[in-house]
Amino acid sequence: MTRLALPETLGYVISGDLVFGKQNPRGRTQVIGNIIEIAKENNADAIIPGYGFLSENADFARAVATAGLIWVGPSPESIESFGLKHTARDLAVKAGVPIVPGTEGLISSEDDAVEESTRLGFPVMLKATAGGGGMGLATCGSAEEVKSSFATVKSRGETLFKNAGMFMERFYPDSHHIEVQVFGNGLGNAIHFGERECSIQRRHQKVIEECPSPFVTRRPDLREKLCSAAVRLPELIRYGSAGTIEYLVDDKTGDFFFLEMNTRLQVEHGITELCYDVDLVELMLRQADAQLRGEGGLSALALQSMQPSEPTGFAIEARLYAENPMRGYAPSPGTLQIVEWQESAATRIDTWVRTGTVVSSNYDPLLAKMMCHSQSRYGAIQRIHEVLSKSRICGPPTNIDFLAAILEDKRFEKGDTMTKFLTEFNYSPSAIDVLSAGAYTTVQDHPGRPSMGRGFPHAGPMDPLAFQIANILVGNRPGLESLEITLEGPELLFLGAAVVAICGAPMELKVDGNPSSMWTRLHIRAGQKLKIGKTTDGGCRSYLAVYGGLPSVAEWFGSKATSPGVGVGGYQGRALTAGDLLAITKSVPDILSSPLAIPERLLPEYPHHWDLMTMIGPYVEGFLLEEDVNMMYETKWQVSHNAARGGIRLIGPKPKWARADGSEGGSHPSNVPEYGYPVGTLNWTGDDPCIFPVDCPDFGGFVSSTTVIKADYWRLGQMKAGDTMQYRPVSLHHALTMRTRVNDFVEAIQKCVDGSGFDQIQALTYSALSSSKDVGKAVIHLIEANGSQPKTSYRQGGDDYLLVEYGVGNFDLNHRCRVTALSKALRESSGDISFPNGLINTVSCCNTLLIYYDGLRISQAALISHLLHLESEIGDLSRAKVPSRLFRLPILFGSPRETAAINRYMETQRPYASYLPDNMDFVAKNNGLEKKDLKDILLNARLIVVSVGFFAALPLCLPVDPRQRICCPKMNPSRVFTPAGQVSWGGSCMALYNVESPGGYQLTGLTIPGVDILGSKPGYSLNRPWLFEDFDQLTFHEVQEEEYERQLALFNSGRYDYVWEDVEFDMEEHNRLLDGTREEVEAVKKRQGEAQRKMLELEDELMDKWTKEKAEGKIPVDQVEELLNDPNILPLISPHNANLWKLLAHEGDRINSADQTVAILEAMKLEINVPAGDEAVGGVVEKVLVREGEVVDAGGRLVLVRRN
């Protein structure tokens, strides 16, 4: 049997043989039409609707029958009979089934509701007659509550079920929710498969179910009464297929009352299958087969032969939801970073999720149904508890610990589970509830992922000194995961007791409103609030360490550090936001009960001016003039407002440069062929200087001229907007001495905390910092070209990086082949210079190999000596054959996504340029081509991967044929947004952006991305979440938008199969191509040079015009960023990934109260109000940043408020 998966979004499909989907269907009517159309196109003869909204949609069932297909479920008439609860009550009476005292027919008005509630006696339950799934219900204990609930229930019924009708029933607080599984053949015969206990509910939705019911098990005669009454209902209406009769059972008397009939398969049907050895879905299909044969249904004899007598054993189901039980079960959309199930022979887990699944805000938050069976109820409890406690689900908050806690409750052990169970249940997890997240708070550990590479940043703390000391104070190892807090901290509610410390730049700190101290071990009691306010002086980052760390945060490649730019690590790969829940350890050792504080004399200094120690390199000689070098070290630079983990921009003079252009690297003298970036380096993006800290890209094509030494990383990490800084050149010896001193200081703090006292420690001081008069040279060794040996330059990048460069700055695959050979030789090295003994990572790129090593374990001189030895053994590679894979990828030209990205750039960054509004047209003209010629190159070229990295394993590619090597400058300024799958050109290379990201290459088409962060899609794994490797070859074939969207949907759903074949790249053949096309290549370069001169003139003209207009204030570019730099501007953010349903704040509106709603979000069928908050009171809305109907991310800015 072929299974056709027909979801509303393909992102959730993991098991269909064939997968289909219509993009963004408008309403259920269109969804129904789409499903039937697809079923008929693929010769399906039946549709089984599962147990979602459509499963009880009579119109759907009728449309399926009209289309000549079999509806695997009850008839439309049966669905309609029980679809309205008030008519279902009438049928129950007719069948002789007791009903709950309630209204006859529907309630027409609020006054009628009050009158009926008084007649029935409180408490009562107000119900939407078409409701289901626990929605459209309200329990009322007084006439006032009836009045306040009337409009809400009516609205939910109308919105969710297209029916505003309501009725009322008496509410029994001491009762059980028990249901009976029935099955009818549509011919007037029905059987049952026993009962299920479903009393433990939140928001009237089931959380834990049992089969059989422990309450019924204690009353043997009750099962017969419940089940015989249940069978009468389907027999009365000649019901065909599976269904469920739900009862309210009084705890004291055992009296039972009909609630409703669910005319579909129930979520919890699995535990009935475990106890009665039946496959209900198979039975539904057998019934459908009988209908298809014209028999109307299963025979009475066949059906009765299946009637069981008693259940075998006991089964329990726990529903795993993506929700926060401590926040009223608020839904928690997000990415599941780890999904690991604890399974055994007696375990059944029905789930649609896996590692990497994105939980959308558009659907019910149910992740899995976790079921266990045993011969005894006690055994079933033990087994399901083991599943819950040993399964690992990391990502957004879930209720997994909440479920385990329910199973530990004495009342549950006794089987004393009534519908009010959760209202009386005390759940006290060991966790931190994030009430507000602060400006930018992330999970970091030390040292992060320095050996990861491939465009995934090092990550880790920006200030490793304060980070490590905070951990030491609370009894952790120095590198354990903690929170990095930038500029303004979070407010945290500790649900469990904890020992914490906050170290770093001075910030406001209060516990339950009372001022507290930094650099001190603090004991937080359960229920206390810790509020970390704004920085009060110099520095911008502090660190909150908690004893035991943050155990529920997922590791990614051995680290919990967050790199928000590429969405990996930490909590959801992002900064924290309100509503996040961080588990902490449940017990704190007595040894940490004593108070402890770092003496004030030992605290690091956080000034507003910073002198940073630095070493020259990697690119200086031949790139910068001597006066540029002097300027670099003599300037008192100002830190720009663009100062973040990925880059710290500086404001100051521009270099004059020692050359006119960047040759094959690009048209600007700052351009070079891409190479690996050292952390801490000063990078010149055009004429603009930017320091690259721990979240910087790992390679790029701009000159870097000096690099902060590792001992000063902590000081670099504390610089903030408005500060000033100056570079102090130091020698390698000085750099290593200072690093040893910092390391010794941390070790001394550790010994003191362990009990030796602080008297003997010397503080880290920088007041007498001196610098070297001789800044030295960037190139510390050089091999001149000789035969097959190319010119080889060894360039230093601080005290831990060395860049090996082949050639003279031109693209040459012979050099790239040599880079690969050198990298392989280093990987295979053993002895004192090897990866087990001090080598950390390498970045291979174009003509260079960046080597990251531990300068305290391997001397620079020894490394150079080792590299010279390896170089002598590499030999001539001009005839080498390199393993390669040839990929065939789709490409879409002129896509709406690409157009939207360019429009966004024009609206928010730069309104006009030589490359706007059409990047493709610009790239063509810049090479003396027509647009169709450029397309031909893209569709006919083989593009060889010369590096994988920059940003999320981006493949950087060079056309194999030198005649096809088009050249173009990068955008200036670079974009803040690039669509995932974007094919782009910059310099002489093509880049494929695998994820949404910043970028500067020109946009030239869309293809399928080549990365899967959590490694769950075909072609990927947890250990290899990238697709492309060095020397892979990419080719493109053109597709239209509909086909591209189909393939992209397959990729997003984990169903895409890349097309590729194993080949060899023959260097000898390639060199023959180079020799045979030299004259043609010269002609191409001449044509390109003439075209580029014209485009450069146009660009200079437009850049001057734009610069002048910016200065005159005629164009509101960067308006939002400028507002955010205003200390009186407060951004109000979204607490969830959600749809913006209603925007209630408008520019000029005054915020009158903290609970004033500025926006209403819709997520997982819930409406979520976004209040203004205390800080916004009295302010005025300055800028609205979003529109109704937009999807907003958690932490995304909605409006900006100007505070008085």
Side-chain angles (χ1 to χ4, degrees):
M1 177 178 66
T2 298
R3 298 161 293 178
L4 306 182
L6 302 167
E8 292 183 22
T9 171
L10 287 174
Y12 294 161
V13 178
I14 56 176
S15 60
D17 295 314
L18 299 175
V19 180
F20 302 90
K22 300 289 186 179
Q23 298 299 315
N24 304 318
R26 301 287 182 182
R28 287 187 200 158
T29 301
Q30 185 174 337
V31 171
I32 289 169
N34 289 345
I35 293 173
I36 292 174
E37 177 188 345
I38 292 168
K40 294 183 72 174
E41 287 175 355
N42 290 273
N43 300 316
D45 51 23
I47 290 177
I48 183 165
Y51 41 75
F53 273 140
L54 290 179
S55 64
E56 291 186 287
N57 188 307
D59 292 336
F60 188 16
R62 192 170 284 113
V64 169
T66 301
L69 302 170
I70 294 295
W71 171 260
V72 185
S75 67
E77 294 75 22
S78 294
I79 295 173
E80 288 171 336
S81 296
F82 285 99
L84 299 178
K85 291 180 172 59
H86 70 288
T87 59
R89 285 165 56 88
D90 296 339
L91 287 172
V93 171
K94 189 174 180 180
V97 180
I99 63 172
V100 178
T103 57
E104 294 182 7
L106 297 177
I107 297 169
S108 59
S109 68
E110 185 179 302
D111 291 340
D112 287 345
V114 173
E115 182 179 338
E116 288 293 337
S117 65
T118 304
R119 178 182 66 81
L120 291 170
F122 293 103
V124 296
M125 183 169 282
L126 195 58
K127 293 186 173 184
T129 187
M135 290 168 285
L137 303 176
T139 303
C140 307
S142 66
E144 289 303 314
E145 289 182 7
V146 171
K147 290 179 182 179
S148 63
S149 300
F150 184 87
T152 301
V153 174
K154 182 177 181 180
S155 172
R156 299 308 284 169
E158 195 165 32
T159 301
L160 294 175
F161 308 104
K162 311 305 179 189
N163 189 321
M166 291 180 290
F167 70 103
M168 185 179 292
E169 289 178 340
R170 177 74 186 276
F171 178 66
Y172 289 80
D174 295 331
S175 59
H176 299 262
H177 187 122
I178 295 174
E179 62 189 26
V180 175
Q181 178 69 60
V182 297
F183 197 95
N185 65 356
L187 304 172
N189 309 106
I191 59 174
H192 70 83
F193 291 95
E195 84 289 341
R196 297 184 287 256
E197 175 89 34
C198 306
S199 300
I200 300 179
Q201 303 181 7
R202 53 94 175 113
R203 292 202 306 265
H204 304 292
Q205 284 187 316
K206 302 157 191 174
V207 176
I208 289 182
E209 300 101 340
E210 296 189 64
C211 179
S213 161
F215 181 80
V216 174
T217 300
R218 295 194 295 267
R219 295 164 176 78
D221 60 327
L222 183 56
R223 177 170 297 134
E224 175 58 31
K225 293 177 183 178
L226 289 169
C227 294
S228 61
V231 167
R232 291 199 295 272
L233 268 171
E235 289 183 338
L236 174 69
I237 64 165
R238 301 173 71 83
Y239 183 90
S241 199
T244 305
I245 310 299
E246 299 195 2
Y247 293 114
L248 189 72
V249 183
D250 187 75
D251 183 67
K252 296 182 177 63
T253 65
D255 293 339
F256 62 92
F257 307 99
F258 171 79
L259 285 176
E260 63 179 338
M261 180 176 185
N262 285 302
T263 54
R264 57 174 168 83
L265 194 67
Q266 289 284 86
V267 172
E268 61 274 16
H269 72 277
I271 52 174
T272 294
E273 294 181 333
L274 291 173
C275 287
Y276 285 92
D277 193 25
V278 62
D279 187 330
L280 291 169
V281 177
E282 179 188 351
L283 197 53
M284 291 173 69
L285 292 170
R286 288 173 60 187
Q287 169 72 12
D289 280 343
Q291 292 174 239
L292 191 62
R293 293 193 301 268
E295 298 169 3
L298 297 168
S299 69
L301 184 62
L303 189 66
Q304 287 301 323
S305 70
M306 301 177 204
Q307 176 62 66
S309 55
E310 294 290 332
T312 301
F314 295 79
I316 299 174
E317 173 180 278
R319 297 194 191 189
L320 179 66
Y321 287 101
E323 65 184 20
N324 187 344
M326 301 309 297
R327 289 218 169 189
Y329 311 102
S332 305
T335 300
L336 298 177
Q337 296 161 288
I338 294 178
V339 176
E340 295 175 353
W341 304 111
Q342 173 70 21
E343 296 187 76
S344 67
T347 302
R348 170 176 165 180
I349 297 176
D350 291 357
T351 183
W352 62 277
V353 303
R354 57 185 173 180
T355 295
T357 296
V358 177
V359 182
S360 167
S361 60
N362 297 322
Y363 300 92
D364 188 277
L366 180 65
L367 302 181
K369 305 181 299 174
M370 308 167 79
M371 295 167 272
C372 284
H373 180 265
S374 178
Q375 291 305 306
S376 68
R377 183 172 181 269
Y378 174 80
I381 292 173
Q382 295 302 111
R383 283 178 174 171
I384 191 69
H385 187 273
E386 181 181 26
V387 170
L388 291 167
S389 58
K390 293 187 178 180
S391 292
R392 192 164 180 229
I393 313 297
C394 295
T398 72
N399 66 337
I400 194 165
D401 292 330
F402 175 73
L403 295 170
I406 291 173
L407 298 176
E408 296 164 4
D409 189 277
K410 296 298 182 184
R411 291 175 299 159
F412 185 87
E413 290 182 10
K414 295 176 183 176
D416 184 14
T417 55
M418 289 185 284
T419 54
K420 64 180 181 181
F421 182 93
L422 290 184
T423 62
E424 300 174 345
F425 177 61
N426 181 28
Y427 175 54
S428 301
S430 294
I432 299 171
D433 186 3
V434 181
L435 303 180
S436 64
Y440 196 75
T441 304
T442 60
V443 176
Q444 299 296 338
D445 61 16
H446 182 64
R449 301 179 192 86
S451 62
M452 175 64 186
R454 296 184 181 274
F456 297 102
H458 288 211
M462 287 282 281
D463 175 356
L465 180 65
F467 178 93
Q468 292 180 86
I469 293 174
N471 266 315
I472 291 170
L473 272 173
V474 300
N476 292 336
R477 60 177 175 83
L480 194 67
E481 68 273 3
S482 301
L483 296 182
E484 179 176 270
I485 299 156
T486 304
L487 294 175
E488 183 175 0
E491 183 174 12
L492 308 172
L493 172 62
F494 281 75
L495 304 175
V499 173
V500 306
I502 300 95
C503 298
M507 290 183 169
E508 300 165 347
L509 181 63
K510 293 181 179 179
V511 178
D512 281 351
N514 300 312
S516 194
S517 300
M518 296 180 63
W519 301 93
T520 301
R521 180 185 292 169
L522 302 175
H523 297 82
I524 308 295
R525 299 189 303 275
Q528 286 193 305
K529 292 180 182 178
L530 173 66
K531 182 172 177 60
I532 303 170
K534 298 180 179 180
T535 52
T536 58
D537 203 346
C540 62
R541 291 180 175 87
S542 286
Y543 297 88
L544 170 64
V546 182
Y547 171 75
L550 304 168
S552 65
V553 173
E555 285 191 351
W556 191 75
F557 278 84
S559 170
K560 296 186 179 184
T562 317
S563 291
V566 289
V568 301
Y571 193 96
Q572 296 284 288
R574 59 166 171 79
L576 296 185
T577 188
D580 289 344
L581 194 69
L582 299 166
I584 57 176
T585 191
K586 293 183 179 180
S587 58
V588 178
D590 293 338
I591 194 173
L592 295 177
S593 59
S594 58
L596 185 67
I598 304 295
E600 188 172 350
R601 69 178 184 83
L602 296 180
L603 301 186
E605 297 176 355
Y606 301 97
H608 292 283
H609 173 80
W610 304 83
D611 289 315
L612 295 185
M613 290 177 281
T614 186
M615 290 173 61
I616 194 81
Y619 282 102
V620 177
E621 300 91 47
F623 298 88
L624 296 176
L625 297 170
E626 184 177 351
E627 62 183 283
D628 294 331
V629 176
N630 294 334
M631 173 271 291
M632 183 170 63
Y633 290 119
E634 293 170 2
T635 296
K636 192 174 184 179
W637 300 94
Q638 183 179 351
V639 179
S640 162
H641 69 280
N642 284 319
R645 289 178 56 87
I648 301 171
R649 291 199 175 273
L650 303 178
I651 300 171
K654 298 179 179 181
K656 295 181 179 179
W657 300 103
R659 56 187 193 156
D661 58 45
S663 186
E664 291 188 20
S667 59
H668 194 275
S670 67
N671 297 152
V672 291
E674 277 72 5
Y675 67 98
Y677 286 149
V679 170
T681 201
L682 177 66
N683 189 256
W684 295 92
T685 54
D687 294 323
D688 298 325
C690 181
I691 305 176
F692 279 164
V694 291
D695 272 1
C696 69
D698 64 349
F699 73 67
F702 293 103
V703 162
S704 297
S705 56
T706 194
T707 304
V708 175
I709 67 172
K710 199 164 191 177
D712 260 7
Y713 279 9
W714 74 268
R715 305 176 77 237
L716 172 64
Q718 289 291 357
M719 295 197 313
K720 63 182 177 183
D723 284 358
T724 57
M725 62 82 64
Q726 187 167 356
Y727 284 113
R728 300 295 188 186
V730 297
S731 66
L732 174 62
H733 173 74
H734 191 161
L736 297 176
T737 301
M738 284 302 300
R739 196 201 311 182
T740 300
R741 187 178 167 197
V742 172
N743 291 348
D744 289 347
F745 180 76
V746 173
E747 290 178 10
I749 293 288
Q750 177 75 73
K751 292 177 181 177
C752 293
V753 169
D754 291 342
S756 64
F758 293 100
D759 295 341
Q760 302 303 314
I761 304 182
Q762 297 296 315
L764 287 172
T765 58
Y766 293 82
S767 56
L769 178 66
S770 61
S771 58
S772 173
K773 293 181 180 180
D774 180 13
V775 300
K777 298 291 184 182
V779 177
I780 55 176
H781 193 82
L782 180 68
I783 302 175
E784 293 294 350
N786 183 18
S788 63
Q789 171 68 55
K791 180 180 180 181
T792 308
S793 306
Y794 297 84
R795 303 175 176 275
Q796 69 178 7
D799 48 339
D800 267 1
Y801 292 92
L802 188 70
L803 184 70
V804 181
E805 180 184 42
Y806 294 115
V808 290
N810 59 314
F811 287 98
D812 189 332
L813 293 181
N814 288 281
H815 298 338
R816 184 62 185 83
C817 189
R818 201 166 193 87
V819 168
T820 299
L822 179 59
S823 177
K824 183 174 183 290
L826 278 172
R827 295 281 172 184
E828 294 173 352
S829 292
S830 58
D832 293 339
I833 300 179
S834 62
F835 278 87
N837 293 307
L839 293 180
I840 300 172
N841 198 19
T842 60
V843 178
S844 302
C845 193
C846 300
N847 309 321
T848 62
L849 180 70
L850 179 71
I851 302 166
Y852 178 26
Y853 66 103
D854 184 346
L856 293 178
R857 299 178 65 187
I858 299 174
S859 73
Q860 188 186 83
L863 179 59
I864 292 285
S865 176
H866 183 63
L867 290 170
L868 293 175
H869 169 70
L870 294 178
E871 191 65 40
S872 67
E873 294 188 337
I874 290 176
D876 184 0
L877 300 177
S878 62
R879 297 182 180 182
K881 289 181 172 58
V882 184
S884 175
R885 293 176 299 172
L886 181 62
F887 283 85
R888 186 171 186 268
L889 296 170
I891 189 169
L892 171 65
F893 296 115
S895 76
R897 285 185 176 86
E898 186 176 291
T899 301
I902 292 175
N903 289 340
R904 177 175 174 177
Y905 178 85
M906 293 173 67
E907 291 168 3
T908 62
Q909 294 186 258
R910 184 176 173 183
Y912 44 76
S914 57
Y915 47 82
L916 297 174
D918 188 333
N919 284 184
M920 283 279 289
D921 186 60
F922 166 73
V923 175
K925 289 179 178 177
N926 197 66
N927 288 273
L929 302 170
E930 298 293 329
K931 200 170 179 178
K932 63 179 180 60
D933 301 324
L934 176 59
K935 283 188 177 181
D936 287 342
I937 289 176
L938 285 165
L939 295 174
N940 292 295
R942 283 195 179 191
L943 299 153
I944 193 162
V945 177
V946 294
S947 190
V948 177
F950 177 66
F951 207 91
L954 172 150
L956 186 73
C957 304
L958 186 72
V960 172
D961 188 332
R963 295 166 295 183
Q964 296 172 326
R965 292 179 187 173
I966 56 179
C967 188
C968 65
K970 306 169 183 81
M971 287 185 167
N972 183 17
S974 58
R975 293 178 309 278
V976 297
F977 173 78
T978 309
Q982 184 68 58
V983 176
S984 55
W985 282 86
S988 300
C989 291
M990 185 278 287
L992 196 171
Y993 290 85
N994 288 318
V995 297
E996 291 184 356
S997 62
Y1001 281 32
Q1002 307 291 341
L1003 309 185
T1004 54
L1006 275 183
T1007 189
I1008 303 300
V1011 76
D1012 177 27
I1013 296 298
L1014 296 175
S1016 61
K1017 293 183 175 71
Y1020 301 92
S1021 68
L1022 281 172
N1023 297 322
R1024 192 175 172 276
W1026 59 86
L1027 178 66
F1028 301 112
E1029 299 283 2
D1030 294 340
F1031 277 92
D1032 280 346
Q1033 299 173 70
L1034 278 57
T1035 63
F1036 293 111
H1037 63 280
E1038 186 175 4
V1039 296
Q1040 300 306 308
E1041 183 179 357
E1042 183 176 357
E1043 174 60 16
Y1044 174 76
E1045 292 295 343
R1046 186 189 72 82
Q1047 293 192 35
L1048 183 63
L1050 289 174
F1051 171 78
N1052 289 335
S1053 67
R1055 307 287 301 190
Y1056 186 79
D1057 289 319
Y1058 293 93
V1059 178
W1060 58 273
E1061 60 178 307
D1062 288 316
V1063 295
E1064 278 187 331
F1065 187 78
D1066 189 331
M1067 288 303 306
E1068 184 176 16
E1069 180 183 320
H1070 177 67
N1071 284 320
R1072 283 199 299 269
L1073 174 67
L1074 296 181
D1075 290 338
T1077 59
R1078 291 189 189 281
E1079 290 185 4
E1080 292 179 77
V1081 171
E1082 286 302 318
V1084 168
K1085 287 183 176 180
K1086 182 179 179 182
R1087 184 194 70 221
Q1088 289 173 333
E1090 293 172 355
Q1092 286 162 14
R1093 278 192 294 274
K1094 294 178 182 178
M1095 297 307 294
L1096 183 59
E1097 289 175 5
L1098 176 61
E1099 173 63 9
D1100 289 343
E1101 178 186 329
L1102 293 175
M1103 174 62 81
D1104 289 344
K1105 180 182 176 183
W1106 178 55
T1107 303
K1108 290 176 183 176
E1109 289 186 346
K1110 278 200 303 180
E1112 295 169 1
K1114 291 183 178 179
I1115 300 174
V1117 178
D1118 297 335
Q1119 183 179 9
V1120 172
E1121 285 194 24
E1122 290 173 10
L1123 284 170
L1124 290 171
N1125 287 328
D1126 187 330
N1128 293 318
I1129 289 293
L1130 173 71
L1132 304 185
I1133 64 174
S1134 168
H1136 298 287
N1137 292 342
N1139 178 63
L1140 181 62
W1141 182 40
K1142 287 185 179 179
L1143 186 63
L1144 303 179
H1146 305 284
E1147 291 176 13
D1149 288 354
R1150 182 169 294 280
I1151 304 298
N1152 297 314
S1153 65
D1155 58 1
Q1156 180 175 331
T1157 301
V1158 297
I1160 302 176
L1161 310 178
E1162 193 277 329
M1164 292 180 172
K1165 306 173 189 172
L1166 294 179
E1167 295 166 13
I1168 302 168
N1169 291 342
V1170 180
D1174 293 331
E1175 292 186 72
V1177 175
V1180 174
V1181 176
E1182 177 93 358
K1183 190 77 175 173
V1184 174
L1185 305 178
V1186 290
R1187 293 175 294 182
E1188 290 183 357
E1190 282 189 23
V1191 174
V1192 295
D1193 293 330
R1197 302 182 186 100
L1198 304 177
V1199 299
L1200 303 181
V1201 174
R1202 181 171 293 281
R1203 296 176 285 197
N1204 292 329

